[in-house]
Amino acid sequence: MNQFSKLIIFGLTLIIITSGHTAPNQPRIGLVLSGGGARGAAHIGVLKVLERLHVPIHVIAGTSMGALVGGVYASGMPLDEMERRLTEVNWDTMFTDDPPRPTWPIRRKRGAERPTWDFSIGWRNGEFWLPKGFISGQKIQLFLTDLVKNAEYIQNYDDLPIPFRAIATNLENGQIQIFDSGPLSINLRASMSVPGFFTPVEYNDKLYVDGGLVRNLPVDIARSMGADVIIAVNLGGSYLKREQLGNILGITGQMITILTEQNVQRSLAELNPNIDILITPDLGDIESTNFARVKDAIPTGETAAQAVAGQLSRYQISPKAYASWQHQRQHPNKPQPIVVDNVQIQGLNQINPHIFNPLIQHQDHFNLNRQLLEQDIQKIYSTGDFERISYQLKRHRQQSLLIVDALEKTWGPGYISFGLGLMDDNRGDSRFGLRANYRQTWINQLGAEWNTDLIFGNIPEIYSEFYQPLFTDRMAFIAPYLNASVTPLHIYSESNRIARYSTKQIFLGVDFGLTLNKNTELRIGPYWQVRQFDLDTGSPTLPEANIQDTGLQTRIFFDNLDSGYVPRHGQRFKLEYQYVNQISNILSTGEYQRLYGSWQGAYSFGQDSIMGIIRAGSSLSTTLPYYDQFALGGFLNLSGYANAQFRSSEMLYASLALQRRVAILPSPLGRGIYLGSSIEVGRLWSGLNQAISDLDTMPSFPKQLLYGASLFLAADTWLGPIYLGWGVAGTGDNGFYLLIGQ
């Protein structure tokens, strides 16, 4: 060996010794992270200790929440940023699939005025279908996509900064699915799809659910990736107590925990106590479903890892070498802005792809705008036609492809839902009904819908509308409709009800409409109706009669309230004009006009909110028949008085309510419980038409201001609104009210 060769060898040896790179005999360390729902945040605490001790990770295998933490860490996100993202996110919102109500299309907002339970049964090809889970995971999917955006072009998980595997269960055959490639966010979502709670993830024509069913602690998977040493973090089973097993949700959760723990014991037996390290955080009473305590779970992992710091320190490397490892993990070279060369929409079967045109126009051949992309996705998702809409980026022939994966609801396109309506003013006016709704969507490529409401009870009703858009953007439409109902008409003399009539009504019309934006709709159209008045009880104050009329009505709606039931911010406005030409009427008033407007606004500050309401009606100097006059009286409509105690041709009403949110309901049960109070004032002008006022027994309307106030407990739930209230009138009259639904 010549002198030059010796010099080269000496130089190379010196470089190896003085450099910070891992020595050749450094073992490959595999990190195994188990599932555990909210308890999985303890993994972040474990990673904190590993970073503090300068212990590098060479491969990661994770299941469920362990896959989420492991996958995000493997993709290169700094640990402090991961902790911030997972602790600051609103998990209650994350587990609610629906986008915020203000983003809904106006047609859906108007349909929600007839509330049904937040659950539907599908009707397809002559068969009933059920949803595959309570939560589709739409918001979670978008959240995961954003968390791993550093690695969105990487398809092979061996090419991630840290090689990674996510574990799921193939629902069709019960076999383990080891995800080592593909869109990372979708596979993370598959790994954490707890059966029954989350819908399974459909990917490559297969259905996947939570990997905890087959391998909740994937020690063998990390070993197969070449790990010499395993650091396993087992979160343990969160068994429910006896008192928590009184419903199907508790029993289902307990069954999943039992199955999971059985395969965990097998994985624990695979650990070598001489070289492997087991970390078991003491999570106490933190339950897997309690994501409000994610922040509390992190220190438990830190404490547990610190307790075995002596064992972990066997695998630490020099600060310089660790800094180099972290530098490689966190992708120091930030990617340049992504220019989208092409947008592809995948997965559509029945829905017209043109509804994605605004999304395509915003992204195609522009720099990728993630915020706008998610807004467009949520806007489309808010139509209620999709189970999931996600996106991914791919490189293909030097081009950046934005692929939008749109999965239509598998239990549609026909949906049956139910609701309950109950109103009782403790003054003899009790109304109850079971509502059934059928909605057939996408009857044609323009997005036609047939919507039918049936109410069974003491106030039966059927409402059916065929909604036909004229263009793919749904801005213009035509909507023929039918409404048939039986409703009570009460007549009062001061505070005494002197008669009750049964009003049978058939109403036929056709509307020509414009959807001006997601908050505003305009309708105008002719109608024909017939009404039959029959005396139920009391004095025959009004003649029993059959009345027919036809006319034209115009309506405009604006709605951006955050809730249609107990709003905390936003506004709702409605203006209706009706021209009526009576064809036959024993109490004929000929032609008359009816103008009605209402405004509702809410503003919140902290847990408190103020809600204002203004309503006004006018006959425009014509004479309204008694049954078409504007009514006041009832809960939050001059509380303390009886329902519709006063009627007149001119009316003005205003109220102001203060309400405090005293409890937040967990998703998907609802939004909250509120304690509130209101002050109300109303005024009536003009009076009964001449034909009625000639009758001595008919009451006259009060000519002074009317006052009312209320105290109430309200709940915004998946059943609809629930109110329990007490109202007092300016005259001292008072009463209790119970309302469920609308």
Side-chain angles (χ1 to χ4, degrees), residues 287-308:
E287 297 177 0
S288 60
T289 57
N290 192 355
F291 280 82
R293 299 193 63 186
V294 160
K295 195 170 185 178
D296 298 333
I298 295 175
T300 68
E302 197 168 356
T303 300
Q306 193 61 46
V308 294

Side-chain angles (χ1 to χ4, degrees), residues 438-489:
Y438 177 74
R439 185 170 68 98
Q440 178 73 30
T441 64
W442 288 96
I443 296 174
N444 55 42
Q445 280 295 293
L446 291 178
E449 294 183 4
W450 178 36
N451 189 73
T452 299
D453 259 331
L454 290 171
I455 298 179
F456 305 92
N458 64 350
I459 306 181
E461 180 183 4
I462 178 173
Y463 176 84
S464 187
E465 178 186 83
F466 187 84
Y467 168 80
Q468 176 62 67
L470 302 181
F471 309 100
T472 54
D473 59 11
R474 299 187 177 189
M475 287 189 62
F477 62 88
I478 183 171
Y481 60 93
L482 160 71
N483 181 233
S485 63
V486 179
T487 58
L489 175 64

Side-chain angles (χ1 to χ4, degrees), residues 492-679:
Y492 287 86
S493 177
E494 297 182 349
S495 60
N496 299 314
R497 189 177 70 185
I498 60 176
R500 170 187 168 120
Y501 283 79
S502 174
T503 304
K504 300 181 181 68
Q505 172 185 273
I506 297 177
F507 196 105
L508 294 172
V510 57
D511 282 342
F512 301 89
L514 291 175
T515 301
L516 303 181
N517 52 52
K518 68 177 184 293
N519 297 322
T520 312
E521 180 183 271
L522 172 67
R523 289 183 174 225
I524 183 171
Y527 75 89
W528 171 88
Q529 73 171 329
V530 57
R531 282 183 274 202
Q532 174 68 42
F533 295 92
D534 298 311
L535 180 65
D536 274 350
T537 60
S539 172
T541 306
L542 290 174
E544 295 183 316
N546 182 287
I547 301 170
Q548 296 185 52
D549 57 68
T550 186
L552 182 73
Q553 62 179 1
T554 302
R555 293 167 288 173
I556 185 168
F557 307 92
F558 174 88
D559 187 346
N560 70 351
L561 291 175
D562 67 320
S563 170
Y565 309 145
V566 189
R568 302 192 73 237
H569 60 81
Q571 300 182 73
R572 177 159 53 194
F573 172 76
K574 177 168 63 175
L575 184 65
E576 298 178 343
Y577 168 77
Q578 198 172 19
Y579 167 78
V580 182
N581 180 27
Q582 294 184 326
I583 300 173
S584 62
N585 183 357
I586 194 171
L587 305 174
S588 177
T589 60
E591 299 177 357
Y592 63 89
Q593 301 176 70
R594 193 176 189 274
L595 180 66
Y596 175 78
S598 67
W599 172 87
Q600 180 181 12
Y603 174 78
S604 62
F605 43 97
Q607 299 301 316
D608 299 314
S609 58
I610 296 176
M611 182 176 65
I613 297 176
I614 298 175
R615 303 189 190 105
S618 174
S619 63
L620 301 177
S621 301
T622 61
T623 303
L624 297 184
Y626 181 73
Y627 52 82
D628 251 354
Q629 291 179 353
F630 306 102
L632 286 178
F635 183 58
L636 296 180
N637 191 40
L638 285 183
S639 301
Y641 293 106
N643 290 323
Q645 183 172 332
F646 309 109
R647 289 180 178 270
S648 179
S649 296
E650 312 290 330
M651 176 272 292
L652 180 63
Y653 167 86
S655 70
L656 189 66
L658 175 66
Q659 51 197 28
R660 162 161 287 208
R661 185 165 57 187
V662 295
I664 298 176
L665 294 176
S667 173
L669 298 181
R671 298 176 73 241
I673 299 175
Y674 304 83
L675 183 64
S677 62
S678 70
I679 53 173

Side-chain angles (χ1 to χ4, degrees), residues 116 415-419 435-439 451-454:
T116 56
Y415 306 96
I416 302 171
S417 55
F418 301 93
R435 174 178 286 120
N437 173 268
Y438 177 74
R439 185 170 68 98
N451 189 73
T452 299
D453 259 331
L454 290 171

